Amino acid sequence: MAKRVVLAYSGGLDTSIVIKWLIETYNAEVIAFCADLGQGEDLNAVKEKAINTGASKAYVEDLREEFVKNYIFPMLRANAIYEGTYMLGTSIARPLIAKKQIDIAIKENADAVAHGATGKGNDQVRFELTYYALKPDITVISPWREWSFDSRQSLIEYAEKHGIPVPATKEKPYSTDRNIFHISYEGGILEDPWSEPPIDMYTMMVSPEKAPDKHLYIDIHYEKGNPVGINGEFLSPVDLFERLNKLAGDNGIGRIDIVENRYVGIKSRGVYETPAGTVLHIAHRALESITLDREVLHLRDSLIPKYAELIYYGYWFSPEREMLQTAIDSIQKNVTGTVRLKLYKGNCIVVGRKSPKSLYHPELATFEAEKIYNQKDAEGFIKLNALRLKVKKILES
């Protein structure tokens, strides 16, 4: 039986209930841990709430710089997108939270860790794979797989009964998860995939209809695959993200509405806002288009679905993800330069790209006369590549 438990605590509905439930069920001491990943909340209030709900101690750690530099940037260097649309904003946060949770468990000599992820979702897998990867002998408690509550509504009723304040209400019963990279909306009124989200459900961005009627040009500067500045000003990773979230969000950029395939086998509808991430993904690909060799680019692109799947499924600390990261990062040394974008009412349009490492040569690409490329050479090239096609047709005749 666990006696001291470190709980991944957000102050939201699920984890607010978990503290009291762990104390009642396990008679355990609960230490709450809240990670500051740029969710824009008063974390001192969250810490106070954890203590008032029954936690013996509460940690709040500012992980924003580490989150952007060591988790988001590597993911962006890989152009990782799950199922062609989801930019993995929730997925990429979980391994860092779980890692710090394990660090605290070791520091506090705790014998267990716990989380508030449901037994139907992906987060339980992401948290627990990280726990076991970093501390194989840790005991893991997953309340959603043990307790008698069967819905978020039952949790709301429990919270009301015990005087625990929670952000979810009967009138607004969808779940959100926010960090500096994105915000997600799931559950409740969003579970009908035919139903359009309410117009007031925007947080990090405005709706395209409310965006300015005038376009905005911005330049993003890169060094070795990482964004380092905007419009000539070099910025820290966190400052860059905050600035770009504002610029992109004000112009209605970054929302997707998808039905995704969870790792456990369930389809789930989610709405996501990822303003800065959307712009950086487009800019990075534009810069790669002039700095990466064709075959290298194509081979790397073939690895993106697997890399994104590993993050989505929770295998950040797996040897295969680390192997792919090493391969991907090895080709980023020349991805240095500037990309110019035009932001307008939900659109992010590439209008320019330049690099001191560029492989693009106008004298080769031009349709005008030039002396480097002999167009007659293409004849033999085409005939050699057509040979197998000709042989196939001859054999069929």
Side-chain angles (χ1 to χ4, degrees):
M1 183 71 74
K3 292 301 181 183
R4 179 175 290 178
V5 184
V6 178
L7 169 67
Y9 181 75
S10 68
L13 175 60
D14 296 22
T15 55
S16 295
I17 303 300
V18 169
I19 289 180
K20 188 168 185 62
W21 181 86
L22 285 171
I23 294 170
E24 290 181 343
T25 304
Y26 285 87
N27 191 29
E29 176 188 355
V30 178
I31 299 171
F33 164 60
C34 181
D36 181 359
L37 299 178
Q39 55 265 52
E41 298 178 3
D42 181 357
L43 296 186
N44 286 326
V46 172
K47 181 177 181 179
E48 183 179 345
K49 179 180 177 182
I51 297 297
N52 292 338
T53 309
S56 65
K57 188 181 294 187
Y59 284 81
V60 173
E61 293 193 18
D62 185 350
L63 303 178
R64 293 174 299 163
E65 198 78 17
E66 182 175 357
F67 183 41
V68 176
K69 184 178 180 181
N70 296 336
Y71 291 78
I72 295 175
F73 276 4
M75 183 175 70
L76 287 174
R77 291 196 298 270
N79 297 321
I81 296 184
Y82 180 67
E83 296 188 334
T85 47
Y86 174 40
M87 297 195 68
L88 301 162
T90 296
S91 313
I92 194 60
R94 298 317 186 219
L96 176 56
I97 296 171
K99 177 181 181 296
K100 294 298 180 179
Q101 202 178 345
I102 290 295
D103 290 344
I104 293 171
I106 294 171
K107 177 182 178 181
E108 292 286 346
N109 198 28
D111 52 358
V113 289
H115 59 78
T118 76
K120 286 186 175 181
N122 299 303
D123 279 343
Q124 60 178 336
V125 184
R126 296 164 183 157
F127 278 119
E128 295 178 34
L129 287 177
T130 301
Y131 297 153
Y132 292 131
L134 301 180
K135 198 175 190 308
D137 63 340
I138 195 70
T139 296
V140 176
I141 300 174
S142 176
W144 268 102
R145 301 201 297 258
E146 296 183 30
W147 61 25
S148 60
F149 305 117
D150 58 1
S151 68
R152 278 191 160 77
Q153 190 56 49
S154 63
L155 292 182
I156 293 172
E157 292 169 358
Y158 178 89
E160 291 173 346
K161 179 180 177 181
H162 290 83
I164 302 172
V166 291
T169 67
K170 294 177 182 177
E171 292 75 32
K172 192 178 180 181
Y174 51 77
S175 173
T176 64
D177 179 82
R178 184 178 180 179
N179 57 50
I180 196 171
F181 191 64
H182 92 148
I183 185 168
S184 66
Y185 308 88
E186 290 183 311
I189 59 176
L190 300 176
E191 290 178 352
D192 178 1
W194 182 252
S195 178
E196 183 177 1
I199 193 64
D200 62 348
M201 201 185 76
Y202 282 88
T203 302
M204 298 178 72
M205 53 182 283
V206 301
S207 66
E209 295 90 341
K210 294 182 179 180
D213 292 328
K214 184 178 180 180
H215 60 255
L216 174 69
Y217 285 104
I218 64 170
D219 291 349
I220 300 180
H221 313 292
Y222 279 83
E223 290 182 2
K224 297 181 179 180
N226 292 323
V228 295
I230 301 173
N231 295 335
E233 181 180 0
F234 287 82
L235 301 164
S236 72
V238 170
D239 288 343
L240 184 143
F241 251 88
E242 290 178 343
R243 180 84 57 85
L244 197 51
N245 272 331
K246 181 73 166 59
L247 293 172
D250 285 350
N251 284 277
I253 293 168
R255 171 173 275 204
I256 61 168
D257 183 333
I258 63 174
V259 173
E260 66 201 63
N261 288 293
R262 290 178 178 172
Y263 194 14
V264 296
I266 299 172
K267 287 186 180 292
S268 171
R269 194 266 188 99
V271 178
Y272 302 95
E273 295 172 22
T274 318
T278 299
V279 171
L280 290 173
H281 175 76
I282 293 170
H284 185 249
R285 294 219 66 138
L287 189 57
E288 285 187 327
S289 73
I290 63 170
T291 57
L292 292 187
D293 171 80
R294 181 191 70 187
E295 294 305 313
V296 168
L297 179 66
H298 291 180
L299 179 59
R300 192 284 313 278
D301 282 357
S302 73
L303 301 173
I304 289 175
K306 182 61 179 179
Y307 179 98
E309 185 181 84
L310 288 172
I311 295 178
Y312 187 83
Y313 289 172
Y315 291 93
W316 179 261
F317 288 103
S318 68
E320 62 269 33
R321 200 283 307 177
E322 293 171 353
M323 183 202 75
L324 287 176
Q325 192 73 61
T326 299
I328 288 164
D329 290 348
S330 71
I331 67 172
Q332 293 293 301
K333 59 183 181 296
N334 289 333
V335 184
T336 294
T338 299
V339 179
R340 177 161 292 170
L341 303 159
K342 181 161 64 175
L343 312 183
Y344 181 68
K345 287 189 174 296
N347 296 288
C348 178
I349 305 163
V350 177
V351 296
R353 71 289 279 163
K354 62 181 180 179
S355 170
K357 304 289 187 178
S358 178
L359 298 176
Y360 178 86
H361 295 287
E363 63 271 22
L364 284 174
T366 183
F367 285 104
E368 303 303 322
E370 44 83 17
K371 299 180 180 179
I372 299 176
Y373 182 87
N374 186 342
Q375 296 192 35
K376 289 184 178 180
D377 290 344
E379 181 178 353
F381 171 79
I382 294 169
K383 285 184 176 179
L384 284 173
N385 280 280
L387 181 59
R388 64 186 181 87
L389 305 179
K390 293 167 68 175
V391 170
K392 178 177 179 293
K393 187 61 178 177
I394 291 170
L395 292 175
E396 290 175 350
S397 300

